[in-house]
Amino acid sequence: MTLDFIAASDALLEKTKPEDLAEAIGCSVASVKQARMSEGSGRRSPPPGWEAALARLARQKAAQLQKLADRLG
């Protein structure tokens, strides 16, 4: 199956959303958003286990992008 420009660029530009991160960590979306707030505006500590969860998501994203690159040649 050949990718067209729109499908390929959509795959490249797809973002990881707070909902994705919350699911990977096993916490609420509100916890993720509060941990990402700028300093002094009610920011909370990141949820426990965030490092491993982000590493997993990064590896998954890297694998998806590698597959895209391979398909594009």
Side-chain angles (χ1 to χ4, degrees):
M1 178 171 113
T2 305
L3 287 176
D4 65 17
F5 175 77
I6 294 173
S9 60
D10 282 351
L12 179 64
L13 297 172
E14 183 178 321
K15 293 182 180 181
T16 302
K17 299 167 191 69
E19 294 80 7
D20 302 324
L21 186 52
E23 183 179 338
I25 296 172
C27 68
S28 70
V29 174
S31 292
V32 168
K33 289 182 177 182
Q34 288 170 335
R36 290 183 38 80
M37 294 173 83
S38 53
E39 205 167 327
S41 60
R43 180 170 62 178
R44 294 190 177 177
S45 296
W50 70 268
E51 296 98 335
L54 264 69
R56 277 192 312 276
L57 287 175
R59 287 185 187 98
Q60 290 171 358
K61 184 74 165 186
Q64 291 167 351
L65 291 174
Q66 184 62 55
K67 287 179 186 177
L68 174 62
D70 292 345
R71 287 183 69 190
L72 292 170

